[in-house]
Amino acid sequence: MFPRHTSTVKQDQSFLDQTTRRVGRNHYMTKRTFGVIGLAVMGENLALNVESRGFPIAVYNRTASKTEEFMKTRAQGKDVKAAYSLEEFVQILERPRKILVMVKAGAPVDYVIEDLKPLLEEGDMIIDGGNSLYEDTERRTKDLESTGLGFVGMGVSGGEEGALNGPSLMPGGTKAAYEELEPILTKIAAQVDDGPCVTFVGPGGAGHYVKMVHNGIEYGDMQLIAEAYDIMKNAMGLSNQELHEVFKEWNTTDELNSFLIEITADIFKYVDPDSNKHLVDLILDSAGQKGTGRWTVVSSLELGVPIPTMYAAVNARVMSSYKEERKAASQQLTGPEIKFDGDKKAFINKVRDALYCSKMCSYAQGMALIAKASAEYYNNQVSLPESARIWKGGCIIRAGFLDKIKKAFVDNPNLPNLLLAPEFKQTILDRQDAWREVLILANQVGIAVPAFSSSLDYFDSYRRADLPQNLTQAQRDYFGAHTYERVDKPRGESFHTEWAA
């Protein structure tokens, strides 16, 4: 269980008296504009970000030594006030209090909220900046708003660097709560050509829902890049230096310019100082995950929205965890001989095209999922153009073509799928031959490309007027009398056949 604070009022007063004597009563009594609970790296960096924008802050961490270390190092000389109890922390915040909670998602967030509730007053606000499940955020919003307290579930993307210098922020809750926070959030968010990378996403858990889908797209992006790497390294024989040059060049293109492509180029040139070998070759091929990708898949199944690229990416990470089984299987199960004798430069361009087409499908799936959730859960209040816009800076999936995605939904607010936007439609039609050639090579040499394949399957399924599920419906009716509709009858009419009669 999350540890509870146990200090007495007498101990708190003693601490306050000592602090007042040490730094002067006037400085101590200056109320803090913003508070941060939780001083892991993301909490520390967000706290320093807020302070750097001119807002005096208070910080608290349940482990006092962590707070002391922060104050002695990164917070030294900054307008940061440390508290060593929640009571003290609340006392030094100006009203209405604005408290950002940066602790592990799940039960720890609930424990902090329960400890804070009796200390707060009507109008005070708690902001959950962790990767919480949107359903938990819905529950917390209802609970706290009913007591007169504000609650904002805010997705934060950008990693350590983004948190410090400007992340993408996805707050959800009530519009009034957002407006109270807006002066701070617009200052600390990443800044791009059309404004800060923050917007009021929507009611309840909408902010955390959009952040969850962001992470699902991130899973897809990373898996697609990994598959492009696998083909170029293991089928085509490119060296790490050559891979560095390829990804570096791709990052200069309109199609693939992005944070993930940029850092991938950097990874291939990094040499481990201990072994003098490229570090990427020394890293175990067993990928971790924190749950947001899986949550995205579960939500898509509940809403009936196909997101096969993201599903493939989650499944690929699960498969990678079977390292010992795979090693053993590799001694018994053989595949085709890996041989590439084509034009490397020409085929690298085809891999680039396949990657871009697959990325378009992944983003199309993500935007379709947000649109369906907005309609089902949030009264159509989640803006697709704004979702794309706030991902243009600060976040992990920031990419040059997000401007085009924003424009597509601005130009046609009723666009059913991103693949039907004129620019994206023509691009994918022009490049699909290269895309298919890349998959053919991967299959011929026995390299698994689940995300590439799932993306092409998505495209091929979506573009076809007729799919083989007419047979599926016939089977369901045969064994379970589930009925079916007919193409030559009005939609909505059901039919059943005694197939074995």
Side-chain angles (χ1 to χ4, degrees):
M1 180 170 286
F2 193 82
R4 295 289 200 236
H5 171 66
T6 57
S7 67
T8 64
V9 173
K10 183 176 180 181
Q11 288 172 325
D12 289 342
Q13 188 59 54
S14 173
F15 177 86
L16 296 178
D17 290 343
Q18 293 173 25
T19 304
T20 300
R21 288 194 297 270
R22 184 169 65 250
V23 301
R25 183 173 182 81
N26 288 338
H27 177 78
Y28 177 75
M29 293 304 291
T30 301
K31 295 287 188 177
R32 309 279 95 186
T33 303
F34 196 80
V36 177
I37 294 177
L39 292 175
V41 174
M42 287 292 287
E44 282 191 3
N45 284 359
L46 283 167
L48 293 174
N49 185 350
V50 173
E51 189 276 340
S52 72
R53 312 303 174 188
F55 302 102
I57 65 166
V59 296
Y60 169 77
N61 195 80
R62 66 184 177 90
T63 305
S65 60
K66 178 65 176 172
T67 307
E68 291 168 356
E69 177 67 17
F70 177 62
M71 294 303 294
K72 289 177 183 177
T73 54
R74 303 186 71 197
Q76 186 72 34
K78 301 184 184 300
D79 199 356
V80 181
K81 177 65 189 174
Y84 291 89
S85 72
L86 282 178
E87 291 85 351
E88 178 199 355
F89 176 77
V90 168
Q91 288 167 8
I92 62 177
L93 288 171
E94 68 180 22
R95 295 207 60 221
R97 301 176 179 93
K98 304 171 187 67
I99 300 171
L100 175 63
V101 177
M102 293 298 296
V103 300
K104 186 178 180 181
V109 177
D110 289 318
Y111 296 147
V112 171
I113 290 172
E114 288 305 307
D115 282 348
L116 279 173
K117 279 169 65 175
L119 305 176
L120 301 180
E121 301 170 78
E122 186 173 350
D124 290 348
M125 189 179 311
I126 298 172
I127 309 134
D128 174 15
N131 268 334
S132 288
L133 180 62
Y134 70 97
E135 292 171 324
D136 288 341
T137 303
E138 303 278 359
R139 169 178 55 80
R140 291 164 185 151
T141 301
K142 291 176 183 176
D143 175 53
L144 288 166
E145 294 284 347
S146 70
T147 68
L149 298 175
F151 185 74
V152 169
M154 184 170 72
V156 179
S157 179
E160 299 174 19
E161 180 185 349
L164 181 63
N165 299 315
S168 173
L169 301 174
M170 293 154 259
T174 65
K175 191 66 180 292
Y178 173 73
E179 288 172 351
E180 189 70 36
L181 293 169
E182 191 172 17
I184 297 175
L185 299 185
T186 54
K187 290 282 179 58
I188 68 171
Q191 307 294 315
V192 293
D193 57 355
D194 50 3
C197 292
V198 61
T199 191
F200 175 63
V201 174
H208 275 138
Y209 193 95
V210 169
K211 174 55 163 58
M212 177 189 76
V213 176
H214 164 285
N215 283 24
I217 295 171
E218 178 186 312
Y219 272 55
D221 251 5
M222 294 173 71
Q223 178 63 26
L224 290 168
I225 292 170
E227 291 175 14
Y229 151 66
D230 198 3
I231 291 169
M232 291 187 291
K233 179 181 177 64
N234 293 309
M236 301 173 63
L238 269 65
S239 68
N240 286 325
Q241 180 59 36
E242 288 173 316
L243 288 164
H244 163 70
E245 295 297 335
V246 167
F247 280 93
K248 182 180 177 181
E249 192 274 327
W250 284 358
N251 195 47
T252 66
T253 65
D254 289 339
E255 297 94 339
L256 294 180
N257 170 251
S258 66
F259 173 71
L260 284 171
I261 295 291
E262 176 187 346
I263 67 170
T264 302
D266 289 344
I267 287 168
F268 285 121
K269 72 178 181 181
Y270 188 86
V271 175
D272 174 41
D274 294 329
S275 64
N276 204 34
K277 298 178 180 179
H278 283 94
L279 182 57
V280 68
D281 296 329
L282 302 176
I283 296 175
L284 186 70
D285 60 326
S286 181
Q289 53 180 312
K290 291 187 176 180
T292 47
R294 174 172 51 83
W295 295 346
T296 308
V297 170
V298 170
S299 180
S300 77
L301 294 172
E302 292 171 344
L303 288 172
V305 179
I307 57 166
T309 306
M310 292 179 233
Y311 176 80
V314 173
N315 193 59
R317 293 198 189 190
V318 175
M319 179 61 80
S320 77
S321 69
Y322 285 73
K323 177 63 175 180
E324 295 308 313
E325 278 192 48
R326 289 189 289 110
K327 284 175 64 177
S330 70
Q331 303 301 311
Q332 302 180 56
L333 303 176
T334 59
E337 179 184 354
I338 294 181
K339 182 180 180 182
F340 177 82
D341 54 11
D343 182 330
K344 281 190 178 182
K345 185 174 181 180
F347 205 81
I348 286 170
N349 289 335
K350 291 178 181 179
V351 175
R352 178 200 63 204
D353 290 346
L355 178 57
Y356 186 51
C357 290
S358 298
K359 279 169 64 72
M360 280 192 284
C361 288
S362 183
Y363 279 77
Q365 294 161 31
M367 301 310 281
L369 182 57
I370 291 174
K372 186 64 175 292
S374 179
E376 293 287 326
Y377 302 150
Y378 306 117
N379 197 29
N380 289 306
Q381 294 185 52
V382 181
S383 166
L384 296 186
E386 277 292 275
S387 295
R389 186 192 67 78
I390 63 174
W391 291 342
K392 285 170 56 178
C395 70
I396 303 303
I397 66 169
R398 60 184 183 266
F401 82 148
L402 280 161
D403 245 338
K404 297 177 182 178
I405 294 177
K406 172 193 167 184
K407 185 178 184 300
F409 288 109
V410 168
D411 290 347
N412 183 1
N414 298 315
L415 185 68
N417 190 288
L418 192 61
L419 298 182
L420 298 177
E423 181 172 344
F424 291 110
K425 176 181 68 176
Q426 196 55 50
T427 298
I428 210 165
L429 291 176
D430 290 343
R431 303 183 186 203
Q432 63 170 308
D433 287 347
W435 190 9
R436 296 178 193 281
E437 285 186 50
V438 170
L439 266 70
I440 289 169
L441 174 69
N443 289 327
Q444 287 177 334
V445 301
I447 290 179
V449 284
F452 272 175
S453 299
S454 295
S455 298
L456 182 57
D457 289 344
Y458 179 78
F459 171 72
D460 279 336
S461 296
Y462 191 70
R463 70 174 181 80
R464 291 182 63 196
D466 299 311
L467 293 172
Q469 273 61 51
N470 55 323
L471 177 59
T472 303
Q473 284 299 87
Q475 292 169 330
R476 293 179 71 244
D477 188 59
Y478 190 116
F479 66 69
H482 293 294
T483 75
Y484 55 86
E485 294 178 84
R486 293 175 60 113
V487 298
D488 56 350
K489 303 291 183 180
R491 290 297 304 269
E493 290 188 34
S494 297
F495 299 88
H496 169 61
T497 296
E498 294 296 331
W499 296 88

